[in-house]
Amino acid sequence: MTVIERVLCILVLIPVPSTIAGGASDKPHIVIILADDIKRKNYLQDFFISKGWNDFGFHGSNQIPTPNIDALGYNGVILDKYYTQQTCSPSRAALLTGNYPIRSGLQGTPLQAGENRYIPQDMAILPERLKELGYRTHMVGKWHLGFAYEKVTPTGRGFDSHFGYWNGYIGYFDYTITSPTLPDNVTRFTGFDLHQNLSPQWQYVGRYATELFSNKSLEIIDKHNVEEPLFLMVTHLAAHTGKDGIELGVPDITKTNRDYKYIALEQRRRYADIVNIMDDTVGQIVDRLAQKKMLENSIILFFSDNGAQSVGLFQNYGSSWPFRGLKFTLFEGGIRGSAVIYSPLLKKRGYINRHLIHISDWLPTLYHAAGGDVGKLGKIDGINQWDVISKNVTTKRTEILLNIDERENQSGILGYEGRYKLVNGTYQNGIYDQYYGEDGRGGENPPYNVQLILNSLTNRAIQTVPDQSPLFPEDVYSTRRLLDVSWCRDKNFTPNFVCTGFCLFDIYSDPCETTNIVSNNENREVFQSLRARLGEFYKEIVPQTNQQIDPKSDPKRFNNTWWTWLDEKPKRPVTGFFTRLRVMICSRLITFYIVRMFGIC
Ligand SMILES: *[C@@H]1O[C@H](CO)[C@@H](O)[C@H](O)[C@H]1NC(C)=O
Ligand SMILES: *[C@@H]1O[C@H](CO)[C@@H](O)[C@H](O)[C@H]1NC(C)=O
Ligand SMILES: *[C@@H]1O[C@H](CO)[C@@H](O)[C@H](O)[C@H]1NC(C)=O
Ligand SMILES: *[C@@H]1O[C@H](CO)[C@@H](O)[C@H](O)[C@H]1NC(C)=O
Ligand SMILES: *[C@@H]1O[C@H](CO)[C@@H](O)[C@H](O)[C@H]1NC(C)=O
Ligand SMILES: *[C@@H]1O[C@H](CO)[C@@H](O)[C@H](O)[C@H]1NC(C)=O
């Protein structure tokens, strides 16, 4: 063995340290916690659990205590003009790609179980971007962005690990989902969908999903080497409906009925408990980050992916009161998200941020916070909002394309810094366009319990951060008053109209969208300008690629589990000659040295 060979052998055997310097990571740890709003797919049975605007304490409802999420917001920044997409797959695609869903063809009906669809592979997504910057990337919970091929599952798309499910929802205890009917109008597929990376996890059947996902998230934090930056994305099943699209699973219905006896409907009591348990798990995560001394260098983001689904198929009894519309619609009730961010790295904390922010902005914002150069992201729709949130400087975002669903004929745009909204067409003849949900105020409901917030795990953990100002009850009350939009329904007036053509709303003066001002003469210019802008986006659509359910996806072929059912790779352009040559030479070299090592070393 030559000297060079010996050196090579030794080099190969020495593990490469992932960071040179010791001590804590210099990049912030990033934790995103996503609640699943209720969303429902047209004529399918796919919906997400999510929470309505009104179902967080900080938005004024007393019905469902959410002390941990509230504490995160009051200590951090509450985003008041935060917009998501109208349903699940579009929202998640926007979050992960930093683009409007019309760029990826994911703007329409969310993925059905067994449908061969995914995020285009030439669009780098958030975990891939953060990996470039040295992050460890983990995901727990719902994916819902395709699993026909291994390459399009979370671990094929930049996550080091994924514990959770690939479909839109599953049972809270049995982790199964049944597909809509196949083209024969009869057959439906049922399969188990709980995986660690690619392997099914039957041993957890019977455990409660929200707690299981929380435990797995805590495990990831426990095992994490604090010298490396962590990206953890927790995407809850809660408060989506579970098994068969109707289950509102709770661990102990007797306790649920006792704790929420002031709520009339049992289904709404279940929803309240589902939300409250999810809130507990937020506290556990924040607390664990503090114990690991990671909190002082963390960014924690909590929001829901779309509005509540108070009524209709897959109803979860959530409430977007006082707003108009539900999930699937482009009204405020469908797309204005409840969102909070906490990080000791934010210069300004404990305030309401009223700048326009869209879900696609997180990719550039977090990439920037992680030390990346946003210029390298190329042309994307998302805008880096770090300084906007951290310092309350004016945002560069002046408009949001709310969506264009060219199959449903529903589109909309928000312009003029978020003041005017133009909606063009409606979802399924306006079935979700009216006003729904409980106001959760007064009556039988308990008073808002500020002590619960001050004593929450989240608040106690945050108070251990150096230089963190204490949270006082007065701050809580005044912030809550400032966030209240109940005045927009004080008119005691529930208009009943459907936007079949164009509807224009002044969101500043009429956030409840009670009055269509499209035919007022003084709004002519606004209307024409927004219509022209929307028309420009129309020309840029990547058409939807929605497919029928693929018969080959049948879980019976895979021991009754949902599984990657197509081989190899999604269709890709053939790699160039030199790439293939390089791969060939490298693999030969590696084989050569391995052989030498085993033979000689
Ligand atoms: C399934 O139902 C659709 C809509 O009702 C109908 O157009 C189609 O012909 C049916 N297909 C079969 C195979 O029965
Ligand atoms: C979560 O972890 C706790 C503490 O280890 C344990 O008591 C509980 O049973 C776990 N829950 C689930 C659903 O796995
Ligand atoms: C944030 O900036 C806006 C102006 O863009 C201002 O009206 C508001 O008072 C500021 N809020 C805080 C807490 O500084
Ligand atoms: C959308 O509009 C097209 C063209 O007018 C029509 O063919 C189609 O049926 C409409 N789709 C829905 C869901 O209304
Ligand atoms: C409005 O919607 C209709 C029906 O989908 C579509 O044909 C038209 O192009 C849209 N107009 C604009 C300006 O978006
Ligand atoms: C098939 O699924 C069952 C659980 O339903 C499991 O116990 C069994 O190990 C699986 N078989 C194989 C070969 O993976």
Side-chain angles (χ1 to χ4, degrees):
M1 185 178 191
T2 66
V3 173
I4 291 179
E5 279 166 2
R6 271 168 211 278
V7 170
L8 275 174
C9 278
I10 290 165
L11 281 182
V12 168
L13 293 173
I14 298 174
V16 182
S18 39
T19 46
I20 307 295
S25 158
D26 58 344
K27 293 181 188 302
H29 308 294
I30 298 173
V31 179
I32 299 181
I33 308 173
L34 200 59
D36 200 347
D37 249 304
I38 266 187
K39 119 186 175 138
R40 168 185 102 85
K41 273 164 87 155
N42 87 23
Y43 51 80
L44 305 171
Q45 43 162 19
D46 198 348
F47 49 105
F48 300 139
I49 273 186
S50 112
K51 289 201 57 178
W53 170 271
N54 195 43
D55 295 327
F56 295 97
F58 64 87
H59 276 148
S61 171
N62 293 347
Q63 218 164 41
I64 307 176
T66 53
N68 288 288
I69 297 162
D70 291 12
L72 206 57
Y74 292 129
N75 282 296
V77 181
I78 297 174
L79 307 177
D80 185 49
K81 291 201 176 62
Y82 176 67
Y83 287 87
T84 64
Q85 299 299 138
Q86 76 291 1
T87 52
C88 186
S89 300
S91 258
R92 286 154 208 258
L95 169 67
L96 292 179
T97 65
N99 278 300
Y100 295 137
I102 58 158
R103 314 285 184 206
S104 54
L106 289 163
Q107 60 270 34
T109 302
L111 274 76
Q112 313 171 56
E115 183 182 350
N116 176 12
R117 205 148 55 101
Y118 43 85
I119 300 177
Q121 293 222 296
D122 53 3
M123 282 183 142
I125 69 170
L126 184 57
E128 292 165 335
R129 290 294 189 192
L130 291 175
K131 253 178 110 62
E132 284 167 20
L133 301 175
Y135 276 72
R136 294 281 158 184
T137 54
H138 301 281
M139 176 170 180
V140 176
K142 163 169 155 176
W143 171 242
H144 210 186
L145 289 165
F147 62 95
Y149 304 88
E150 196 177 319
K151 281 264 191 275
V152 305
T153 65
T155 44
R157 290 304 316 251
F159 283 106
D160 295 335
S161 79
H162 172 233
F163 179 90
Y165 54 109
W166 293 329
N167 284 293
Y169 63 92
I170 44 171
Y172 275 87
F173 296 96
D174 75 355
Y175 304 97
T176 64
I177 175 172
T178 299
S179 74
T181 51
L182 269 65
D184 66 5
N185 293 345
V186 179
T187 313
R188 298 173 77 186
F189 293 157
T190 297
F192 177 77
D193 185 5
L194 184 68
H195 298 86
Q196 170 75 51
N197 304 339
L198 297 175
S199 64
Q201 303 288 300
W202 295 288
Q203 67 270 34
Y204 296 109
V205 169
R207 306 249 204 124
Y208 186 58
T210 309
E211 284 164 5
L212 180 59
F213 293 154
S214 174
N215 281 5
K216 288 287 168 183
S217 310
L218 300 179
E219 241 173 64
I220 287 168
I221 296 169
D222 282 343
K223 288 193 190 140
H224 182 71
N225 170 7
V226 296
E227 290 171 24
E228 296 174 318
L230 168 70
F231 172 51
L232 171 62
M233 186 156 136
V234 186
T235 51
H236 276 294
L237 170 62
H240 201 282
T241 52
K243 192 172 167 59
D244 298 330
I246 49 173
E247 178 196 20
L248 286 166
V250 292
D252 179 353
I253 182 64
T254 314
K255 182 173 185 302
T256 306
N257 283 328
R258 192 172 58 231
D259 289 354
Y260 302 96
K261 56 178 182 291
Y262 52 88
I263 299 177
L265 269 182
E266 179 177 303
Q267 293 303 85
R268 172 87 180 156
R269 291 198 286 271
R270 287 172 172 273
Y271 174 82
D273 207 13
I274 286 170
V275 170
N276 179 256
I277 292 170
M278 181 181 60
D279 180 81
D280 281 348
T281 69
V282 170
Q284 289 162 15
I285 288 175
V286 179
D287 177 60
R288 198 59 63 95
L289 289 169
Q291 284 177 29
K292 280 271 282 193
K293 301 268 174 282
M294 289 164 72
L295 184 58
E296 51 204 74
N297 189 27
S298 287
I299 299 169
I300 305 168
L301 200 57
F302 175 91
F303 60 92
S304 59
D305 64 349
N306 47 249
Q309 186 73 348
S310 320
V311 301
L313 204 53
F314 312 122
Q315 136 183 55
N316 77 348
Y317 298 81
S319 169
S320 295
W321 191 95
F323 290 145
R324 179 181 199 131
L326 296 178
K327 176 169 160 173
F328 296 103
T329 77
L330 300 181
F331 290 108
E332 299 287 276
I335 57 172
R336 186 143 160 195
S338 290
V340 301
I341 178 170
Y342 173 79
S343 173
L345 306 173
L346 295 168
K347 297 266 182 310
K348 234 175 142 73
R349 270 169 277 157
Y351 81 103
I352 303 167
N353 185 293
R354 298 195 194 265
H355 295 285
L356 198 56
I357 296 177
H358 183 244
I359 187 168
S360 65
D361 295 339
W362 293 121
L363 183 135
T365 302
L366 297 173
Y367 189 74
H368 167 85
D373 171 5
V374 173
K376 288 205 182 120
L377 298 176
K379 192 176 165 336
I380 53 172
D381 298 308
I383 289 173
N384 170 13
Q385 303 265 27
W386 182 258
D387 283 351
V388 173
I389 297 169
S390 177
K391 302 179 189 155
N392 191 33
V393 301
T394 301
T395 179
K396 293 197 190 72
R397 183 175 277 290
T398 57
E399 66 172 17
I400 293 174
L401 173 68
L402 300 177
N403 199 32
I404 298 174
D405 184 337
E406 77 277 16
R407 295 202 185 179
E408 286 293 337
N409 301 330
Q410 173 181 248
S411 59
I413 188 168
L414 195 62
Y416 296 83
E417 280 80 42
R419 173 160 186 192
Y420 291 106
K421 182 195 283 187
L422 182 70
V423 175
N424 177 21
T426 192
Y427 180 78
Q428 301 210 339
N429 302 316
I431 47 172
Y432 300 127
D433 281 6
Q434 305 306 326
Y435 298 84
Y436 315 85
E438 306 210 6
D439 67 5
R441 290 154 172 81
E444 300 287 298
N445 297 303
Y448 191 54
N449 190 339
V450 176
Q451 278 315 314
L452 219 52
I453 295 162
L454 300 182
N455 295 334
S456 66
L457 264 186
T458 298
N459 191 51
R460 282 183 283 146
I462 286 177
Q463 294 306 327
T464 66
V465 169
D467 302 328
Q468 173 67 41
S469 12
L471 183 63
F472 296 109
E474 306 85 86
D475 305 330
V476 170
Y477 288 121
S478 68
T479 304
R480 204 164 179 251
R481 248 191 325 271
L482 288 168
L483 282 169
D484 189 32
V485 282
S486 58
W487 52 267
C488 72
R489 285 285 294 284
D490 279 356
K491 293 157 203 154
N492 209 4
F493 156 64
T494 304
N496 203 5
F497 65 90
V498 167
C499 291
T500 38
F502 286 110
C503 280
L504 182 69
F505 300 102
D506 181 340
I507 300 298
Y508 284 6
S509 68
D510 180 26
C512 287
E513 297 165 293
T514 62
T515 313
N516 178 9
I517 53 172
V518 76
S519 33
N520 299 10
N521 254 335
E522 69 263 31
N523 300 318
R524 228 177 145 75
E525 214 173 284
V526 171
F527 168 55
Q528 283 172 348
S529 131
L530 287 179
R531 189 182 53 184
R533 192 76 188 107
L534 188 56
E536 285 168 29
F537 281 114
Y538 253 89
K539 295 189 200 118
E540 298 171 10
I541 295 178
V542 171
Q544 288 173 50
T545 52
N546 303 36
Q547 318 268 316
Q548 304 271 27
I549 295 168
D550 186 346
K552 291 201 279 302
S553 70
D554 188 353
K556 287 206 185 61
R557 298 178 58 217
F558 310 102
N559 194 21
N560 298 313
T561 61
W562 289 102
W563 193 252
T564 58
W565 69 91
L566 297 174
D567 292 336
E568 277 302 307
K569 293 177 188 145
K571 286 198 184 63
R572 293 281 302 140
V574 183
T575 18
F577 172 72
F578 286 104
T579 314
R580 274 181 298 172
L581 190 69
R582 213 167 54 221
V583 169
M584 199 188 75
I585 292 174
C586 286
S587 59
R588 294 257 160 134
L589 273 177
I590 289 166
T591 314
F592 172 72
Y593 281 112
I594 286 174
V595 167
R596 296 288 274 180
M597 267 163 57
F598 282 102
I600 304 165
C601 286

